[in-house]
Amino acid sequence: MVGSAIVRTLKRRADRAPFELITRAHAELDLVDQRAVREFFADERPDQVYLAAARVGGIHANNTYPADFIYDNLMVEANVIDAAFRSGVRQLLFLGSSCIYPRNAAQPMSEEALLTGVLEPTNEPYAIAKIAGIKLCESYNRQYGASHGVDYRSVMPTNLYGPGDNYHPENSHVIPALIRRFHEAREAGLSQVAVWGSGTPRREFLFVDDMAEASVHVMNLSHEVYSQHTQPMLSHINVGWGDDVSIADLARAVARAVGYVGDIVFDASKPDGTPRKLMDSRRLQSLGWQPQISLDDGLKLAYRDFLSSTPRSV
C-alpha cells in the first residue's frame, strides 16, 4: 500500500525532473532472502531507496504470528539497509510505525518518547523490529556518514489506510477490516455489526497518499536542514494527521462511507490495544509539510478502492 503510493507520488514528480523508478513485487524479490537482496542491489545500484516493505497486520495478526512479525521485519530492514550501503547508496528512507512508542506515552507522542517506557504487548514484536530499523539507520550514519556520505533517515507514520490496503477478514488493520465487515453486512442485509473492543480507544489515521508526499518531502530535505531538526541517536520524524478519533466514531464514519445503516455493537471481550495513539507531527509541519485528505474523504476513496480490487464473492 505505502510503496505503491510512494511510486504514484514519484511518478508525478518525474514529469518535472525525469528519473528511473526501480520496483520489485514480493514474487520477484523476497527481501527476507539476504543473497537475493544483495544481488538485486549489486545489479541495479540505485541512488535512493524508499524502504516501505514490511509484514503488517492488525491486533489479531500481531497476536497470532508474533514470531513471523519480528523475524520477517528484522530481516527485511537489515538486508535492505546493509545491501544498500554495500552498493553505494547514500540516501535511504526507512518507514516505521507509531507503535514504536510506549503504551502509556504522553499524548500527543513526540519523537523524544522513544524507548522511555513499556511497549503495547499486542504488537511488541513488530514495534521492536521497527525500533531496530531506526537504530540501523542511525548506526550506519554514525559509522559511515563522514567517510561515505551515508544519510539514512526514518519517518514514523501514524495508522495508514487507502488504495492498496489489505482487506483480509482476520489479518487486516482496523479501517480495511471495518470496510469489509460493513460492506458484507450491507450486502447481506444484516441489522447489526459487532466491532472488536470497547470502542473507547482513540486512533489517528492518515491517508496513504499524504504519507507518500511526506516521505518524498523528508527524503528531499537537505542534509543540513534534516540534521538541524533531529539528533544523531534520535533521528526519526513523526508523520500524522494531527487529530484522533475514537474507534466507535471511526466505525460510524466507515458505516456512513459504505452506506450501512444497521446497528453497531462493541465486543468488549476482545482486546482494545493501546488506549490512545496520537502523533506529535509539529516537527515535520515546521519543515513545510501538511496533510491534505480528511478522514471522511479518505474513507470514501478507500471504499472505492475496496470495490474495485476485491473479488465479487464478498
Side-chain angles (χ1 to χ4, degrees):
M1 176 177 69
V2 184
S4 297
I6 291 174
V7 168
R8 289 194 295 271
T9 298
L10 290 172
K11 283 182 175 179
R12 288 194 295 269
R13 296 186 177 220
D15 294 337
R16 302 191 297 269
F19 51 82
E20 180 185 0
L21 276 174
I22 304 168
T23 62
R24 291 292 186 277
H26 177 74
E28 301 171 300
L29 176 62
D30 181 1
L31 297 179
V32 175
D33 185 336
Q34 185 182 72
R35 177 179 294 181
V37 174
R38 287 186 174 180
E39 289 176 353
F40 166 78
F41 275 93
D43 291 341
E44 296 292 346
R45 304 190 73 82
D47 299 307
Q48 292 184 346
V49 174
Y50 289 84
L51 178 46
R55 175 183 282 269
V56 299
I59 289 179
H60 174 80
N62 275 272
N63 267 335
T64 307
Y65 311 108
D68 292 343
F69 270 73
I70 191 166
Y71 177 82
D72 286 353
N73 285 297
L74 284 171
M75 293 301 294
V76 165
E77 63 204 26
N79 289 343
V80 171
I81 292 169
D82 183 68
F85 169 73
R86 289 170 179 265
S87 68
V89 173
R90 295 184 176 183
Q91 290 183 283
L92 179 146
L93 188 75
F94 170 70
L95 277 73
S97 167
S98 60
C99 70
I100 64 168
Y101 294 116
R103 170 182 170 83
N104 294 316
Q107 304 291 317
M109 299 178 294
S110 71
E111 287 87 352
E112 288 75 16
L114 182 64
L115 298 176
T116 61
V118 176
L119 298 167
E120 161 60 34
T122 57
N123 57 23
E124 182 189 70
Y126 179 73
I128 290 291
K130 287 301 183 179
I131 293 170
I134 299 171
K135 295 306 174 182
L136 273 169
C137 290
E138 292 176 351
S139 298
Y140 277 78
N141 289 341
R142 292 168 60 203
Q143 187 166 342
Y144 299 113
S147 61
H148 292 70
V150 167
D151 185 2
Y152 294 172
R153 305 174 180 183
S154 300
V155 286
M156 296 301 113
T158 190
N159 299 286
L160 302 175
Y161 69 100
D165 215 336
N166 169 26
Y167 299 99
H168 189 278
E170 293 181 345
N171 296 334
S172 56
H173 284 117
V174 60
I175 284 182
L178 288 174
I179 286 175
R180 180 175 186 133
R181 194 170 304 167
F182 284 121
H183 171 82
E184 292 177 344
R186 192 193 70 178
E187 294 294 292
L190 300 181
S191 61
Q192 180 176 285
V193 169
V195 176
W196 269 33
S198 66
T200 59
R202 300 186 66 84
R203 294 290 185 270
E204 177 186 29
F205 297 95
L206 184 69
F207 194 71
V208 68
D209 286 74
D210 276 338
M211 181 64 216
E213 289 287 349
S215 298
V216 176
H217 182 82
V218 170
M219 177 73 95
N220 289 329
L221 292 173
S222 70
H223 177 73
E224 292 73 22
V225 169
Y226 192 83
S227 298
Q228 288 170 3
H229 289 82
T230 59
Q231 302 172 37
M233 296 183 68
L234 195 67
S235 65
H236 61 287
I237 294 181
N238 289 344
V239 186
W241 172 257
D243 198 6
D244 59 4
V245 61
S246 72
I247 295 299
D249 286 341
L250 173 69
R252 288 187 276 268
V254 173
R256 289 195 301 272
V258 172
Y260 176 75
V261 295
D263 294 330
I264 303 172
V265 297
F266 296 91
D267 182 359
S269 69
K270 302 297 185 181
D272 273 335
T274 303
R276 191 183 188 196
K277 287 203 305 183
L278 174 63
M279 305 280 269
D280 183 346
S281 302
R282 288 176 295 178
R283 178 171 298 171
L284 181 55
Q285 292 173 6
S286 73
L287 291 168
W289 173 85
Q290 293 286 339
Q292 302 296 319
I293 302 171
S294 70
L295 181 61
D296 284 340
D297 289 341
L299 290 176
K300 294 173 185 176
L301 293 171
Y303 183 50
R304 187 184 306 169
D305 174 69
F306 170 84
L307 293 176
S308 66
S309 62
T310 305
R312 293 300 83 194
S313 59
V314 301

Coordinates of all heavy atoms in Angstrom, one line a residue, residues 55-62 64-65 69 166-173 177:
R55 N 6.1 -6.7 6.9 CA 4.9 -7.6 7.3 C 4.1 -6.8 8.2 O 4.6 -6.4 9.3 CB 5.4 -8.9 7.9 CG 4.2 -9.8 8.4 CD 4.7 -11.0 9.0 NE 5.1 -12.0 8.1 CZ 4.3 -13.0 7.5 NH1 3.1 -13.0 7.9 NH2 4.8 -13.9 6.7
V56 N 2.8 -6.6 7.9 CA 2.0 -5.7 8.7 C 0.6 -6.4 9.0 O 0.3 -7.4 8.2 CB 1.7 -4.4 8.1 CG1 3.0 -3.6 7.9 CG2 1.0 -4.5 6.7
G57 N -0.1 -6.0 10.0 CA -1.4 -6.5 10.3 C -2.0 -5.9 11.5 O -1.3 -5.1 12.2
G58 N -3.3 -6.2 11.8 CA -3.9 -5.7 13.0 C -3.6 -6.5 14.2 O -2.7 -7.3 14.3
I59 N -4.5 -6.2 15.3 CA -4.2 -6.9 16.5 C -4.3 -8.4 16.4 O -3.4 -9.1 17.0 CB -5.3 -6.4 17.6 CG1 -5.1 -5.0 18.0 CG2 -5.3 -7.3 18.8 CD1 -6.1 -4.4 18.9
H60 N -5.2 -8.9 15.7 CA -5.3 -10.4 15.5 C -4.1 -11.0 14.9 O -3.5 -11.9 15.4 CB -6.6 -10.8 14.7 CG -6.6 -12.2 14.4 ND1 -7.1 -13.1 15.3 CD2 -6.3 -12.9 13.3 CE1 -7.1 -14.3 14.8 NE2 -6.6 -14.3 13.6
A61 N -3.6 -10.4 13.8 CA -2.4 -10.9 13.1 C -1.2 -10.8 14.0 O -0.4 -11.7 14.1 CB -2.2 -10.1 11.8
N62 N -1.0 -9.6 14.7 CA 0.1 -9.4 15.6 C 0.1 -10.5 16.7 O 1.2 -11.0 17.1 CB 0.2 -8.0 16.1 CG 0.8 -7.0 15.2 OD1 2.0 -6.8 15.3 ND2 0.1 -6.4 14.3
T64 N -1.3 -13.4 16.7 CA -1.3 -14.8 16.2 C 0.1 -15.2 15.6 O 0.5 -16.3 15.8 CB -2.4 -15.0 15.1 OG1 -3.6 -14.6 15.6 CG2 -2.4 -16.4 14.7
Y65 N 0.8 -14.2 15.0 CA 2.0 -14.5 14.3 C 3.2 -13.6 14.9 O 3.9 -13.0 14.1 CB 1.9 -14.3 12.8 CG 0.6 -14.9 12.2 CD1 -0.5 -14.2 11.8 CD2 0.6 -16.3 12.1 CE1 -1.6 -14.8 11.3 CE2 -0.5 -17.0 11.5 CZ -1.6 -16.2 11.1 OH -2.7 -16.8 10.6
F69 N 6.2 -11.8 12.6 CA 6.3 -10.3 12.6 C 7.7 -9.8 13.0 O 8.2 -8.9 12.3 CB 5.2 -9.7 13.5 CG 3.9 -9.5 12.8 CD1 3.1 -10.6 12.4 CD2 3.5 -8.2 12.4 CE1 1.9 -10.4 11.7 CE2 2.3 -8.0 11.7 CZ 1.5 -9.1 11.4
N166 N -4.9 -4.0 2.7 CA -5.2 -5.4 2.8 C -6.6 -5.6 3.5 O -6.8 -5.1 4.6 CB -4.1 -6.1 3.7 CG -4.5 -7.5 4.1 OD1 -5.2 -8.2 3.5 ND2 -3.9 -7.9 5.2
Y167 N -7.5 -6.2 2.8 CA -8.9 -6.3 3.3 C -9.2 -7.7 3.8 O -10.3 -8.1 3.8 CB -9.9 -5.9 2.2 CG -9.7 -4.5 1.7 CD1 -9.0 -4.2 0.5 CD2 -10.2 -3.4 2.4 CE1 -8.8 -2.9 0.1 CE2 -10.1 -2.1 2.0 CZ -9.4 -1.9 0.8 OH -9.2 -0.6 0.4
H168 N -8.1 -8.4 4.2 CA -8.3 -9.8 4.7 C -9.3 -9.7 5.9 O -9.2 -8.8 6.8 CB -7.0 -10.4 5.1 CG -7.0 -11.8 5.5 ND1 -7.4 -12.3 6.7 CD2 -6.7 -12.9 4.7 CE1 -7.4 -13.6 6.7 NE2 -7.0 -14.0 5.6
P169 N -10.2 -10.7 6.0 CA -11.2 -10.6 7.1 C -10.6 -10.8 8.5 O -11.2 -10.3 9.5 CB -12.1 -11.8 6.8 CG -11.4 -12.7 5.9 CD -10.4 -11.8 5.1
E170 N -9.4 -11.3 8.7 CA -8.8 -11.5 10.0 C -7.5 -10.7 10.2 O -7.2 -10.3 11.3 CB -8.6 -13.0 10.3 CG -9.8 -13.8 10.4 CD -9.5 -15.3 10.7 OE1 -8.3 -15.7 10.5 OE2 -10.4 -16.0 11.0
N171 N -6.7 -10.6 9.2 CA -5.3 -10.1 9.4 C -5.1 -8.7 8.9 O -4.0 -8.2 8.8 CB -4.3 -11.0 8.6 CG -4.3 -12.4 9.1 OD1 -4.6 -12.7 10.3 ND2 -4.0 -13.4 8.2
S172 N -6.2 -7.9 8.7 CA -6.1 -6.5 8.2 C -6.1 -5.6 9.4 O -6.4 -5.9 10.5 CB -7.2 -6.2 7.3 OG -8.4 -6.5 7.8
H173 N -5.8 -4.3 9.1 CA -5.9 -3.2 10.1 C -7.3 -2.8 10.3 O -8.2 -3.3 9.5 CB -5.0 -2.0 9.7 CG -3.5 -2.3 9.9 ND1 -2.6 -2.3 8.9 CD2 -2.8 -2.5 11.0 CE1 -1.4 -2.5 9.4 NE2 -1.5 -2.6 10.7
A177 N -10.6 -3.6 7.7 CA -11.4 -4.7 8.3 C -12.8 -4.2 8.5 O -13.8 -4.9 8.2 CB -10.8 -5.1 9.7

